[in-house]
Amino acid sequence: MKTWITIIFSGLLLSAHASAGIVEEKDCGSCHRLHPEDAEKVFTAPDLHYAGNKFQPKWLKQFLKNPEVIRPAGFITNSGFSQIANLSPHSSYTEQEANTLTDILMDLKISTLSPVTSEPLSKGLRAKIKYQFERTFGCISCHQSLNLAGKVRGGISGPSLVNAGNRLQAEWVAGWLNDPEVYMVKGRMPRYKMDPTTLSQFTRFIMTLKKENIK
Amino acid sequence: MTNRKHLLAGIILLTILTTACEQSKQATSTVRPPTKEEVTKTIPQNTQPELAQVTEGTRQTYQWYCTQCHGIKGKGDGINAKFLTVPPRNHTKAQYLETRTDEQLFQAIKFGGLSVGRAPCMPAWGETLDDDIIQSLVQYIRELCQCEAL
């Protein structure tokens, strides 16, 4: 009995050690910020110290196995950001590595986000928010998204929102729109003051953007 | 008695409708472009963009935010340019910019393109940049176009 307990315990310890080591092994921290205390350092890829607040695990796992381009112009701190430099593709990982990395990344959180309503938007409200997305706030100038006909439209300096509904957590989208500085000290996106109703509707609109809706 | 009931029902209905309209007005008050009156009212009375200085901070601000659409040299060829329905303004061309006053450029930056009757692709930067830096951006645009308002 004692031997079995020792074997199981050792196995768990080894597994935990291997899990913790994969982030170092893959050198994720050389491009991504993984710790909140690294605020002074400049990283060349998106911050991941709040990955557990931001991403949906299913999408994250898939991304790690088959990376897709989210930021066609690169990350905002890249020296060639404004000139479309040749971007090196993100590394891809095996199923097992992707599972382990996803588990680790989903544990990285910096805040407890307020719950948001997941009530779907009516067709009319969706059209209204889309209008605001393009005309009132001008989001389309920097973000690719889907128009009402399901076509990809928009600028490329901001992250693509074409698949935002599968990629992001609604609570994070609302948190970002409300107070982006919690997540990024200085982004390149204008700040907006949205009333709670608009913020909720905007979040729900962004969560409707999914790549399976591309026509 | 029936008339009284109808009158009472009418008053209640009117009250509900009025309240709903007010709530609706409040809820959407921040999601439309400002009216001309609001823009005029919000601009500080002592706005004198012509006195603002272009500093290293101005150039850095332009490079950080504006280049995304207007390009690193202000030629309207930023990385978003070819994806926009209305091309971003070329800040090195005097032909159009000399027809705009400094106040109009200030308004376009602070409240967005729609506020001055131009394209909605230009978002409002008034919640991101303070008036001083917007005024210095106006002067930087004047440097780029090497022009003044006619």
Side-chain angles (χ1 to χ4, degrees):
Chain A
M1 183 64 181
K2 201 177 170 185
T3 316
W4 277 110
I5 291 173
T6 311
I7 290 170
I8 292 168
F9 189 66
S10 306
L12 285 172
L13 271 178
L14 277 172
S15 164
H17 181 72
S19 294
I22 193 170
V23 173
E24 284 76 31
E25 184 196 320
K26 301 297 179 191
D27 205 15
C28 308
S30 66
C31 298
H32 298 281
R33 179 179 170 192
L34 299 168
H35 310 287
E37 56 271 23
D38 286 341
E40 299 300 315
K41 289 188 196 168
V42 176
F43 292 91
T44 55
D47 292 346
L48 293 180
H49 63 286
Y50 51 83
N53 298 115
K54 181 178 179 180
F55 298 116
Q56 295 186 29
K58 190 179 167 192
W59 176 86
L60 188 54
K61 205 172 287 180
Q62 188 56 35
F63 176 86
L64 291 166
K65 284 193 288 181
N66 291 304
E68 56 187 296
V69 177
I70 311 292
R71 294 172 170 78
F75 188 56
I76 57 167
T77 56
N78 294 163
S79 55
F81 174 74
S82 299
Q83 301 155 63
I84 311 188
N86 287 329
L87 301 170
S88 45
H90 193 277
S91 310
S92 58
Y93 302 107
T94 64
E95 174 88 24
Q96 197 185 347
E97 288 170 336
N99 286 342
T100 310
L101 282 168
T102 300
D103 290 343
I104 294 170
L105 291 172
M106 290 308 293
D107 278 339
L108 303 181
K109 295 180 182 180
I110 58 168
S111 57
T112 309
L113 295 164
S114 309
V116 295
T117 175
S118 56
E119 193 186 327
L121 288 173
S122 66
K123 213 171 174 180
L125 203 49
R126 192 166 166 230
K128 179 187 148 192
I129 301 300
K130 183 197 157 287
Y131 178 90
Q132 293 178 351
F133 182 88
E134 293 184 7
R135 294 185 63 86
T136 309
F137 297 105
C139 316
I140 195 83
S141 302
C142 300
H143 294 281
Q144 283 186 330
S145 71
L146 295 175
N147 68 9
L148 290 178
K151 304 288 180 202
V152 176
R153 294 283 182 274
I156 57 166
S157 68
S160 168
L161 297 177
V162 167
N163 198 26
N166 290 324
R167 185 167 71 91
L168 304 172
Q169 295 180 33
E171 291 77 8
W172 183 84
V173 173
W176 169 267
L177 289 172
N178 186 48
D179 192 1
E181 279 85 6
V182 169
Y183 302 101
M184 187 182 278
V185 179
K186 191 183 176 189
R188 297 199 190 217
M189 178 175 139
R191 283 213 59 169
Y192 297 106
K193 274 192 179 165
M194 291 183 184
D195 60 70
T197 308
T198 308
L199 191 117
S200 164
Q201 291 171 348
F202 237 76
T203 302
R204 287 153 65 200
F205 170 76
I206 287 167
M207 296 308 290
T208 66
L209 302 172
K210 296 181 177 180
K211 68 177 177 186
E212 53 266 34
N213 297 332
I214 298 176
K215 285 172 188 160
Chain B
M1 188 63 183
T2 316
N3 279 347
R4 265 194 190 175
K5 270 187 184 170
H6 283 157
L7 185 64
L8 191 63
I11 290 170
I12 291 169
L13 186 64
L14 192 64
T15 311
I16 291 169
L17 281 176
T18 313
T19 313
C21 285
E22 280 169 1
Q23 280 172 343
S24 161
K25 205 175 174 183
Q26 275 176 356
T28 56
S29 60
T30 58
V31 295
R32 56 171 173 72
T35 61
K36 206 169 182 179
E37 290 71 32
E38 282 170 336
V39 169
T40 316
K41 206 172 146 188
T42 320
I43 292 177
Q45 291 307 304
N46 61 351
T47 297
Q48 289 180 299
E50 71 275 8
L51 299 179
Q53 298 290 312
V54 174
T55 64
E56 191 49 34
T58 315
R59 293 171 205 278
Q60 283 174 2
T61 302
Y62 189 92
Q63 288 301 314
W64 186 254
Y65 296 113
C66 315
T67 54
Q68 298 179 81
C69 295
H70 295 284
I72 50 176
K73 291 184 177 168
K75 291 186 173 177
D77 57 355
I79 45 179
N80 292 324
K82 64 179 178 182
F83 301 99
L84 303 182
T85 44
V86 179
R89 183 67 53 199
N90 181 342
H91 290 153
T92 65
K93 293 255 180 180
Q95 197 178 9
Y96 171 80
L97 287 165
E98 63 188 7
T99 69
R100 303 291 102 182
T101 64
D102 288 354
E103 286 73 19
Q104 283 171 321
L105 297 182
F106 180 92
Q107 284 177 36
I109 299 171
K110 180 161 180 162
F111 301 107
L114 274 184
S115 72
V116 287
R118 310 306 298 182
C121 313
M122 168 72 184
W125 292 93
E127 301 291 345
T128 313
L129 306 173
D130 64 31
D131 286 359
D132 288 344
I133 195 76
I134 295 176
Q135 284 167 5
S136 72
L137 283 170
V138 170
Q139 289 316 304
Y140 183 54
I141 292 168
R142 292 294 181 208
E143 260 188 37
L144 290 172
C145 72
Q146 297 185 320
C147 68
E148 290 177 0
L150 291 174

